[in-house]
Amino acid sequence: MNLMETIRISMNSLTTNKMRSFLTLLGIIIGVAAVVAIMAIGNGSKASIKEEINKLGNNVLTVAPVMPMTEEEINQDTLPSFTWTDVEALEQKSSIAAMMPRISSSSKAAWGRYNYNATIVGTSASFYKTEKFSFTGGRTFTNDEMDKRRNVAILESQAVVRLFGGDTKGVLGRTFQIKQIPFKVIGVLNPQPVSKFSYSTNDQIYIPATTMMNRLGEKNITGLEVSAKSPGLMNQAQSDILESLRVTHQLKPSEPDQFQVMSLSEAAGAASGVDNIMTSLLGGVAAISLVVGGIGIMNIMMVSVIERTKEIGIRKAIGAKPRDIMVQFLSEAVIFGLLGGMLGVVTGIGASKIIEATTHMTIEFTISPILYSFLSSAGTGILFGVYPAYKAARLKPIDALRYE
């Protein structure tokens, strides 16, 4: 019996009971669809991280206190903090182009009858360079305003809307209040895309860190973002930062660093690593559906062997070899797997597109997961179809013909 004849007979067998065949395929379809969708979401997440890093620049470093590692260190509550002396010392380094210290608090900002609970950020005059902000109008803080702790503010785009309601024209020069202290608007920032590597929420208010520390009573600088003058100076900037902080915190040569410096690329690598682990775990869970689908194929093929026992006996009686019987039943199992794989790939792509449209997640398809899922479904058909095919091939004609 030739290949085309084998396929024709197999297809006729599968279409004899359509509902039973569909239910058998369902496990394969779900497994393949889940793998395709999960891999597309994982690839999209990694692509999104790379895109965000490219937008923010590859010359940005984040500086944070070294987290305690032992229970004794945690109980001591000795987490180091930044001081304004640290910031002033770092601004003198030739490898550093700009920096953004952060002193954050939540306070009510008010203008007339409008008010909202705003995030107030105390920072430096060059903060906008580090975050790649641009101005719709106005300017950043001057050195004089920083030194004399002036009550001036720069607003993000949504802060303008929430603070001034519908009256958003001619905002520059207006005076509003934070904790009943008047502040003058000197700048308005353009809207920023929300990023997992950026602090911007488009409704923050920036004021000089010196004003924040002396007028609003907030003393703790929670973190620093530092922009090196060029990507080639990243290592130099990192060394300069650690060296400067050791000096300002009066650390002895034998004492470990109190702060750690990480580039956004390293942060992105860590985030991608977590994404890879989660994608692998979810992909493994989805692959279990392929195993369940394979068990379904084995079950239906075992039932098929029992139902067609007399047919097997007749075919053997007229000259069919065990190899012919085995090839026929194995081909049915493979067709189950291939058909489930094709439907699963289509379902997975469709589900991914729906997720992308409804959640605005980034989805990125690559050929590897699709090909892997499709071949896995075919392999599942072979793996779980071998035993029923072998059992059918081993039936003796006389026993098969007597089967009732």
Side-chain angles (χ1 to χ4, degrees), residues 84-248:
W84 192 246
T85 303
D86 296 334
V87 176
E88 291 177 327
L90 288 172
E91 286 180 332
Q92 305 304 314
K93 297 296 181 180
S94 60
S95 60
I96 294 174
M99 68 170 53
M100 181 181 181
R102 290 185 64 86
I103 311 174
S104 298
S105 73
S106 182
S107 302
K108 181 176 288 186
W111 181 78
R113 63 187 179 89
Y114 296 102
N115 65 80
Y116 81 103
N117 198 35
T119 298
I120 314 299
V121 180
T123 188
S124 66
S126 62
F127 78 97
Y128 69 97
K129 296 179 182 178
T130 303
E131 284 288 305
K132 307 296 182 187
F133 291 154
S134 60
F135 284 84
T136 300
R139 58 176 176 80
T140 190
F141 316 120
T142 63
N143 290 332
D144 184 65
E145 288 167 340
M146 295 291 299
D147 294 339
K148 295 182 178 178
R149 304 162 188 146
R150 300 295 189 191
N151 294 1
V152 290
I154 298 169
L155 309 184
E156 290 191 326
S157 57
Q158 285 302 305
V160 173
V161 175
R162 298 185 70 178
L163 185 56
F164 298 108
D167 188 9
T168 57
K169 294 182 179 179
V171 170
L172 296 177
R174 286 184 186 174
T175 300
F176 67 97
Q177 292 184 330
I178 301 174
K179 291 185 176 180
Q180 298 182 337
I181 300 172
F183 280 82
K184 180 182 177 181
V185 180
I186 63 168
V188 175
L189 298 173
N190 281 312
Q192 297 294 313
V194 177
S195 164
K196 64 181 71 177
F197 294 104
S198 172
Y199 292 106
S200 175
T201 56
N202 285 321
D203 63 356
Q204 297 183 139
I205 297 175
Y206 299 91
I207 65 175
T210 49
T211 304
M212 187 88 164
M213 299 172 83
N214 289 276
R215 300 288 172 84
L216 299 184
E218 301 290 340
K219 303 294 184 182
N220 295 324
I221 300 176
T222 55
L224 293 175
E225 283 191 46
V226 178
S227 178
K229 285 190 174 178
S230 69
L233 290 174
M234 288 283 281
N235 290 336
Q236 181 62 49
Q238 186 168 355
S239 298
D240 287 345
I241 291 168
L242 291 175
E243 179 185 346
S244 178
L245 290 172
R246 289 188 67 86
V247 171
T248 54

Side-chain angles (χ1 to χ4, degrees), residues 18-40:
K18 295 181 178 63
M19 180 57 69
R20 188 173 70 180
S21 297
F22 172 74
L23 293 175
T24 303
L25 291 173
L26 202 55
I28 299 291
I29 294 172
I30 292 173
V32 171
V35 170
V36 170
I38 289 168
M39 293 300 180

Side-chain angles (χ1 to χ4, degrees), residues 2 41 55 64 87 123 143 152 227 260 285 305 341 394 403:
N2 60 39
I41 293 170
K55 286 180 181 177
V87 176
T123 188
N143 290 332
V152 290
S227 178
Q260 56 188 350
V285 172
V305 169
R394 294 285 294 175
Y403 184 80

